[in-house]
Amino acid sequence: MRARTALCLATVALFLTAAWTGNCFAGSGLSGAPEDASAAVAGAVRNETAAGVLPQPADEVDIQVDASAVDNGGNARMEEAGPAPTEKRPGQHSSSHVGIGVKISTLGAGIETAVPLAAKANLRGGVNFFQYNRAIINDGIHYAGQLQFRSAEAHLDFYPFGGFHVSPGVLFYNGNQLTASASVPGGQNFTLNGTSYQSSSTTPVTGTGKLDFVKVSPSIMLGFGNLIPRSGRHFSFLFEFGGAYQGSARVALNLTGSVCDSNGINCVPTSDPTVQANVLAQQQKIKNDINPYRFFPVISIGFGFNF
């Protein structure tokens, strides 16, 4: 564009010079030479026109230079590239708002969800459930037991580095319990607090038993994995271990019917004070057997998705 502009300006200047010279020659009586020069200039103009280059008046030629394209010294500047897209780094906020996971743990099958609170912290909550039926015999008493796990939990997940997390929390509903129906067939011997009895053949011993814990239990978990990875990934693998402090077990044992001595003689109802004292002692024995599990161990594995 600049070369074409310069050529046009040179042509116009040559034309004007030739015209002025022609006038001078005409005034001096030497008109032949200017006519030849004028013809030459006119031919050059015709050639430029034929080639597609039209002369333009100097005041219509765009000779402005974009000031943004040159630096203070008048040198052309290289076009600056736009800022490169940033990648998410560990510790940055994720674009995801909610993470959902499924897991299997010693608390049962679970579903949980999490939301980000800060660059290295999530708030996570979930529910767990499990049910298992089993018949057991303890000290000659037959129990048809049902183990039922029902719990709801909340955790504050703190990530000091990478995917490793420390998660203090709470089981704000601990519905884990064992219920059972108790029975002793008539004529069969059993033991209460070390005392031997025989279930009456006419009114055999039956009853119920229950074992549960306080409804609110603090917990602490350690593990790897993040329901909302700060790397931007949408899937995550989860593993953690720890436990919940559920305290001493609460045990209830109720028996009805009649009991006899080990020979089947001298039968009395289970409401007899001596028999009831042994029932309470048996209840305490069961409780003592469970006491080592005040801190319920929790191990879980699962996977999550965030969006």
Side-chain angles (χ1 to χ4, degrees):
M1 180 66 182
R2 293 177 181 176
R4 294 171 58 186
T5 300
L7 181 59
C8 291
L9 289 174
T11 302
V12 171
L14 181 61
F15 180 83
L16 292 176
T17 302
W20 178 80
T21 305
N23 291 335
C24 293
F25 286 168
S28 62
L30 301 175
S31 59
E35 289 178 357
D36 295 338
S38 299
V41 171
V45 172
R46 284 195 300 272
N47 291 337
E48 289 287 340
T49 303
V53 180
L54 296 176
Q56 298 180 3
D59 58 352
E60 295 183 4
V61 177
D62 183 10
I63 60 174
Q64 296 181 353
V65 179
D66 187 356
S68 64
V70 297
D71 57 19
N72 292 333
N75 298 319
R77 289 199 304 237
M78 295 293 292
E79 182 179 356
E80 296 182 359
T86 58
E87 297 182 356
K88 297 213 177 283
R89 299 178 180 177
Q92 289 183 324
H93 286 283
S94 172
S95 59
S96 298
H97 300 289
V98 178
I100 298 177
V102 294
K103 63 180 181 178
I104 295 293
S105 76
T106 50
L107 289 172
I111 301 174
E112 57 186 0
T113 183
V115 295
L117 292 182
K120 294 186 177 182
N122 295 342
L123 178 63
R124 173 168 56 101
V127 295
N128 308 286
F129 44 89
F130 178 72
Q131 184 169 310
Y132 178 68
N133 298 329
R134 184 178 179 182
I136 61 174
I137 300 175
N138 183 33
D139 292 334
I141 303 176
H142 296 249
Y143 297 97
Q146 182 182 78
L147 180 64
Q148 179 176 283
F149 279 4
R150 300 286 187 273
S151 63
E153 59 185 322
H155 296 276
L156 176 61
D157 298 328
F158 174 66
Y159 293 85
F161 54 87
F164 174 76
H165 63 87
V166 180
S167 304
V170 62
L171 291 180
F172 57 87
Y173 172 70
N174 184 356
N176 300 338
Q177 64 179 11
L178 174 65
T179 58
S181 58
S183 64
V184 182
Q188 182 174 315
N189 291 340
F190 67 99
T191 301
L192 289 175
N193 191 33
T195 302
S196 295
Y197 294 99
Q198 185 178 106
S199 179
S200 172
S201 298
T202 55
T203 55
V205 174
T206 59
T208 60
K210 183 178 180 179
L211 184 154
D212 67 353
F213 302 89
V214 295
K215 296 303 180 185
V216 179
S217 303
S219 65
I220 182 69
M221 302 296 293
L222 305 174
F224 298 89
N226 192 338
L227 278 175
I228 309 178
R230 298 313 193 262
S231 63
R233 289 182 293 107
H234 288 286
F235 291 93
S236 55
F237 174 78
L238 312 170
F239 172 77
E240 61 182 359
F241 59 93
Y245 183 79
Q246 56 190 358
S248 299
R250 301 183 297 191
V251 180
L253 179 62
N254 300 295
L255 297 178
T256 60
S258 298
V259 297
C260 310
D261 60 26
S262 58
N263 296 319
I265 307 172
N266 301 323
C267 298
V268 296
T270 56
S271 58
D272 180 82
T274 303
V275 177
Q276 278 299 304
N278 287 327
V279 169
L280 292 176
Q282 183 71 20
Q283 181 176 288
Q284 185 62 42
K285 180 179 180 296
I286 296 173
K287 183 177 180 179
N288 292 338
D289 291 340
I290 302 298
N291 271 343
Y293 300 99
R294 291 183 181 184
F295 192 81
F296 187 83
V298 179
I299 300 175
S300 74
I301 186 172
F303 65 92
F305 174 79
N306 65 84
F307 53 92

